[in-house]
Amino acid sequence: MFGRASAALLLALPILAAAQSDCTTGSLECCSSVQSASNPVISTLLGLLGIVVGDITGQVGVTCSPITVVGAGGTSCSEQPVCCTNNSFNGVVALGCTPININL
């Protein structure tokens, strides 16, 4: 069992390293949803957080957590992997997100 987990981790590391290199302007995140800031639900959420919708470029990631290449727990993303320029909202939202393909 440990051998399979180690092998999976070793196979995932180069893929995540490649994705990390594509994300040079922000952080690599795993978000449950990625939407336009103009989406009514997203714009309401942003308003509650005091974020001005007109200032946002790119997509908005919702319920995000960082993807790291260290450790087995942070090496997978079953939702949408994205590169975000601003994730200073404790994972509630991430701003300036661009989808990243980590399934090379």
Side-chain angles (χ1 to χ4, degrees):
M1 181 67 108
F2 180 72
R4 287 186 197 156
S6 296
L9 178 60
L10 289 175
L11 290 174
L13 287 176
I15 293 169
L16 289 172
Q20 188 71 38
S21 69
D22 288 340
C23 187
T24 58
T25 60
S27 60
L28 193 58
E29 304 286 330
C30 182
C31 300
S32 64
S33 175
V34 180
Q35 303 286 326
S36 168
S38 63
N39 177 308
V41 173
I42 300 300
S43 62
T44 300
L45 176 62
L46 295 172
L48 291 172
L49 293 170
I51 302 168
V52 179
V53 175
D55 295 341
I56 297 174
T57 59
Q59 299 285 304
V60 176
V62 180
T63 315
C64 301
S65 59
I67 299 174
T68 62
V69 294
V70 179
T75 58
S76 66
C77 178
S78 58
E79 285 86 24
Q80 177 64 56
V82 291
C83 179
C84 302
T85 58
N86 183 356
N87 191 28
S88 60
F89 303 98
N90 295 323
V92 176
V93 294
L95 306 178
C97 298
T98 305
I100 297 283
N101 183 8
I102 60 173
N103 298 317
L104 302 174

